[in-house]
Amino acid sequence: MSQTATQTIETNHEDMIHDAQLDYYSRRLATASSDHTIKIFNVDGDNQTLSHTITDNTAPVWQVAWAHPKFGTILASCAYDGRVLIFKEQNGTWTKIHENNKHTASVNSVAWAPHELGAILACASSDGKISILEYKDDGSWETQLIDAHGIGCNAVTWAPAAIPGSLVQANANNNSSNIHIVKKIVSAGCDNLIKIWGYKEETKTWQEEEALDGHSDWVRDVAWAPNVGLPKSYLASCSQDKSVIIWTQEHPKAEWKHKTLGEKFPDVVWRVSWSLSGNVLAVSCGDNKITLWKETSNGDWELVDTLEGNA
């Protein structure tokens, strides 16, 4: 088994760390903690230095998400108190530029849309709703609410902006301007379902397109694989039921098929994440291990590496 280099960072958080996210250039790291703070580190090779501690939250912070750098140095956070805060750094100072308080329970997940769609943030809450925040040219934020999962929503993420298969068609026509973009999100719920939502320009509303049923307990996380314009789409979902499911769609009009990843995991599976190229899946399990999986030529998934954290 290959050896993977790891680094340990002393964050000085005073409680559990729930999330850690590198920015687009991997030069900054943001961490979210139950101590109500977000810490920003500058990363230079093997060296990390704490540059700022954001203390605006008044509850445990579950997740952080960096916006694309074309919009500036912007970081979103979500917390147990139901608030979503968006911060911007200018001249070395972090300032809160927006607060979303439309939710009535913990907000568990935040995700920025692909930059081609604009500065749009999706937020998933235990109140069962997803809020979509969109930054407008006049400096305001527009909010839409989706009634997503009756007893709570644990995670939300975006589909790639390019319609599956569009790159192949564009190359065939030798015209990259033919690549159409699509606005879709996928959510994971306490109703054991994964739901895919599409934005309809005609009605300016979000509509449920698919409800994928494969888990027997809460779905903790869902991740849409990056798509380089090829026809096939991949989703990964993980659950309280100790399983990970890979969902595939051969082309945009095909049915979604699913395959369980390996055997049951030894504990609850909390997070799933795809590599940038979309061909390796990282799975984070409650046994303090991260496993890496890759699809074989015959469509099966094999374990390629195991990373074990400090207990």
Side-chain angles (χ1 to χ4, degrees):
M1 189 173 290
S2 63
Q3 291 295 311
T4 304
T6 59
Q7 295 181 37
T8 301
I9 301 171
E10 176 50 65
T11 65
N12 291 313
H13 277 297
E14 296 172 4
D15 208 331
M16 186 179 292
I17 299 167
H18 299 289
D19 197 21
Q21 295 291 334
L22 287 164
D23 71 355
Y24 182 83
Y25 298 112
S26 296
R27 292 178 189 154
R28 284 191 163 172
L29 175 72
T31 56
S33 171
S34 275
D35 67 9
H36 305 184
T37 70
I38 299 163
K39 291 183 183 284
I40 311 291
F41 296 85
N42 292 326
V43 179
D44 182 12
D46 291 344
N47 300 314
Q48 310 88 22
T49 53
L50 177 65
S51 67
H52 198 79
T53 301
I54 298 173
T55 57
D56 295 64
N57 282 285
T58 56
V61 186
W62 301 135
Q63 237 180 63
V64 286
W66 293 95
H68 190 276
K70 72 182 277 188
F71 303 114
T73 306
I74 294 176
L75 185 72
S77 70
C78 61
Y80 178 72
D81 61 4
R83 294 193 304 158
V84 174
L85 304 182
I86 300 175
F87 304 94
K88 184 171 186 176
E89 186 201 37
Q90 287 180 306
N91 303 320
T93 302
W94 285 89
T95 308
K96 184 175 73 173
I97 59 171
H98 186 66
E99 177 176 329
N100 172 27
N101 51 15
K102 303 287 187 190
H103 291 287
T104 57
S106 172
V107 180
N108 305 312
S109 177
V110 283
W112 290 100
H115 67 88
E116 300 94 326
L117 303 178
I120 310 175
L121 184 72
C123 319
S125 171
S126 291
D127 64 11
K129 293 181 171 64
I130 296 170
S131 59
I132 308 290
L133 316 180
E134 182 169 2
Y135 182 75
K136 296 297 187 180
D137 291 338
D138 63 1
S140 66
W141 291 83
E142 181 180 283
T143 305
Q144 282 187 288
L145 285 175
I146 304 169
D147 285 316
H149 299 267
I151 54 172
C153 188
N154 295 315
V156 65
T157 191
W158 292 80
I163 293 175
S166 57
L167 187 64
V168 177
Q169 295 163 7
N171 284 342
N173 299 331
N174 198 25
N175 183 1
S176 61
S177 65
N178 282 347
I179 298 180
H180 300 294
I181 61 172
V182 63
K183 195 185 282 190
K184 278 188 184 183
I185 57 173
V186 59
S187 58
C190 299
D191 53 9
N192 309 347
L193 295 175
I194 296 133
K195 292 186 178 181
I196 298 172
W197 308 84
Y199 184 74
K200 306 304 175 192
E201 286 290 348
E202 316 82 65
T203 57
K204 306 292 184 190
T205 57
W206 290 86
Q207 294 180 7
E208 182 183 323
E209 294 184 351
E210 300 271 2
L212 305 179
D213 187 0
H215 289 289
S216 59
D217 208 334
W218 288 14
V219 187
R220 283 293 178 183
D221 196 19
V222 62
W224 203 307
N227 187 305
V228 289
L230 300 176
K232 194 171 183 178
S233 294
Y234 289 83
L235 277 174
S237 60
C238 63
S239 168
Q240 198 82 16
D241 67 11
K242 304 179 183 178
S243 75
V244 173
I245 294 178
I246 307 293
W247 305 82
T248 54
Q249 186 186 42
E250 290 296 334
H251 57 82
K253 297 193 184 317
E255 284 188 18
W256 286 90
K257 297 178 181 177
H258 68 278
K259 181 178 288 189
T260 302
L261 193 69
E263 303 295 322
K264 283 269 187 177
F265 283 78
D267 207 328
V268 174
V269 189
W270 290 97
R271 298 287 284 273
V272 282
S273 179
W274 294 97
S275 63
L276 287 176
S277 56
N279 64 341
V280 176
L281 179 69
V283 176
S284 176
C285 183
D287 65 354
N288 219 31
K289 292 179 183 176
I290 295 169
T291 51
L292 304 180
W293 301 78
K294 196 168 186 175
E295 189 177 20
T296 63
S297 56
N298 61 3
D300 292 325
W301 289 80
E302 64 177 4
L303 176 66
V304 293
D305 206 352
T306 299
L307 312 176
E308 195 155 358
N310 298 319

